[in-house]
Amino acid sequence: MDYFGTLIRYDELALKGRNRILFERQLISNIRSKSFSDLKVERLWGRILLEGQQGIPSVRLDQVFGIASYSPVMKVKADLSQIQETALKLLRDYLHSKKEKGSTFRIDVRRVDKDFSPNSLEIQKRIAGDILAHFPELKVDLRRPSIEIGVEIRKEGAFLYLERNPGLRGLPVGSSAKVLSLLSGGIDSPVASWLMMQRGAPVDFIHFYAYPYVGIQSKEKVIDLAKHLGHYQNSSVLFVVSVTEIQEEIQKKCNDRFRTILLRRFMHRIAAEVAIRCKAKALVTGESLGQVASQTIENIEAIQSVTPALILRPLIGFNKQKTIDLAKDIGTYDISIRPFDDCCALFQPKAPATKAKIALILREEEKLPVSFLVGEALKTIETIRL
C-alpha cells in the first residue's frame, strides 16, 4: 500500500497554551533525531505530519516521548468523492493482504475543517454505503469492529488511515530541565530514569562502582542500561565514580548498622557536585517507600539531609511488581536481572538501621575524613558518552 506519510497525534502538548509551539518544536526536533535527514515535517493544527520519499518515513516513533498515537496515512484532496474512492482502496488492499472475507468495520470521521460539507455523520454514511455496496459480506460494528477506517478532513486535505499505533505519551524530552539519575544495576533506578524522560527531562546518569569488590561485569551492565535508556532521548552521559575507598573506610571505622545510610549520604554529596558540573537541576533516585530498610521515611530523611539539592523519586509510591512490569515494558528488566551485584548490595549489613536518627549518623561521620573522601572520589570520575 502506497502511503503518503505518517500523521502524529499528541495530547498533553495541546494543553500548553501560548507555550505550545515550544513543545511542538522540541517534539519535531526529537522526531528528526530518529529519522533520515530527507524527512519533511509539517506542523498542522494539533498534529504533526511526516512526509517520506518512499512511503512511510523510517523513524522510531515508538521511542519518542510526547506522541499519543500515529498512523500511516494516505492524503487526497478534501473532496467527498475522492475520500470515498480512497477509503475503498484502503479497505480493498487491506482485505487482499489479510485474505479476509468476513469482517466488521466502522468509519471514524474527524472534520477539523468545519467549512467542509457535508457533516461528519453524513460522510460516515456515504463511505459506509459505498463499502457495503462493494463488499456485501462485511458488516458495520460501531462498538468493536475488526477494521476501523479513520478520516481527518483539514484545510490541507483529507487524510485516511487504517492503523492507530500507540505512542509513549508524556512530554518531549528537552522540554524540561536536565536531571542526574543515580543509576544502579538494579530494576528500580532505570525505571525512575525513564519516567523522568517521559516528563520531558533529559537524563544524565551517575553510577557508583567499587572495583575490585565488584567485577567489570557490574559496570558493563550499567553501561548497557544507560545505552538502552539513551534510545529514548537524543544523547546520554554516564559518570562512573569509584567509592571503593569510601566503603573501606566506612567498614573499618563505623557501626555496621549505619553502613548503607552512610554510603548513600556520600553518594548524594558526590552526585550533587556532579549535577552542578553537568548543569542538572535535580537528582533522581529509584527509591520506593518502605521497599527496603534504607527506604523508610526516617532513613530517606537522614540520607537527603546531606545536600540541599532537589531530589526526585518517581517510584516513591510504586510497589515492586508495578516497577517490574514497567521495566519489562521499556526493555530494561532483562539487563537489570543479570547476576552482577552493585556496591550497595555487596556491603549490605545483616541488621541495618531502619529508623536512623540524624544525630547518630553525624556522630558516625565524625569518624571519617568526609571532605577528603568526597574529593578523592570526584578525581576518579570516568565520563562515558553514549
Side-chain angles (χ1 to χ4, degrees), residues 88-284:
L88 280 173
K89 173 178 171 51
L90 272 175
L91 183 59
R92 184 181 294 110
D93 290 351
Y94 174 82
L95 293 174
H96 178 74
S97 66
K98 298 295 183 181
K99 297 182 179 179
E100 292 187 18
K101 292 185 178 180
S103 295
T104 58
F105 74 96
R106 175 176 68 189
I107 311 298
D108 179 39
V109 175
R110 186 171 186 268
R111 194 166 51 98
V112 181
D113 179 7
K114 299 303 182 184
D115 294 330
F116 184 87
S117 182
N119 62 30
S120 298
L121 182 59
E122 183 61 30
I123 297 169
Q124 290 173 346
K125 289 179 179 179
R126 297 268 194 98
I127 296 174
D130 260 4
I131 288 173
L132 291 173
H134 286 80
F135 302 98
E137 71 276 14
L138 299 183
K139 294 181 180 180
V140 174
D141 184 346
L142 299 180
R143 298 188 65 185
R144 295 182 179 178
S146 57
I147 304 169
E148 179 172 290
I149 300 176
V151 181
E152 283 201 17
I153 301 173
R154 299 172 164 270
K155 295 288 187 184
E156 298 85 0
F159 300 92
L160 291 88
Y161 57 89
L162 287 172
E163 301 174 29
R164 184 185 285 259
N165 302 298
L168 294 175
R169 296 188 177 272
L171 299 174
V173 175
S175 58
S176 297
K178 182 192 291 186
V179 298
L180 180 66
S181 180
L182 280 68
L183 187 65
S184 71
I187 296 170
D188 300 336
S189 57
V191 175
S193 303
W194 186 89
L195 287 171
M196 292 309 303
M197 293 178 192
Q198 191 182 47
R199 301 315 306 155
V203 181
D204 282 345
F205 308 98
I206 184 168
H207 175 65
F208 298 96
Y209 184 51
Y211 183 83
Y213 298 106
V214 294
I216 190 67
Q217 297 94 336
S218 175
K219 177 180 173 181
E220 289 173 344
K221 178 169 78 166
V222 172
I223 292 173
D224 287 345
L225 283 169
K227 283 182 178 178
H228 183 84
L229 290 167
H231 293 152
Y232 294 97
Q233 58 184 4
N234 294 340
S235 61
S236 300
V237 179
L238 171 64
F239 302 99
V240 180
V241 183
S242 172
V243 290
T244 303
E245 186 177 2
I246 292 172
Q247 288 192 294
E248 290 173 343
E249 287 291 296
I250 291 173
Q251 190 173 29
K252 285 189 294 185
K253 298 178 180 178
C254 299
N255 186 320
D256 64 355
R257 293 184 63 244
F258 303 112
R259 191 182 295 166
T260 300
I261 297 172
L262 291 168
L263 177 59
R264 290 189 182 277
R265 280 169 63 89
F266 273 101
M267 289 178 175
H268 279 65
R269 287 186 179 100
I270 296 165
E273 178 60 34
V274 174
I276 293 171
R277 297 182 184 185
C278 71
K279 298 181 180 180
K281 297 297 185 182
L283 304 180
V284 177

Side-chain angles (χ1 to χ4, degrees), residues 314-327:
L315 307 184
I316 197 67
F318 281 33
N319 63 38
K320 191 66 175 185
Q321 190 58 52
K322 184 175 181 179
T323 304
I324 289 172
D325 291 343
L326 190 48

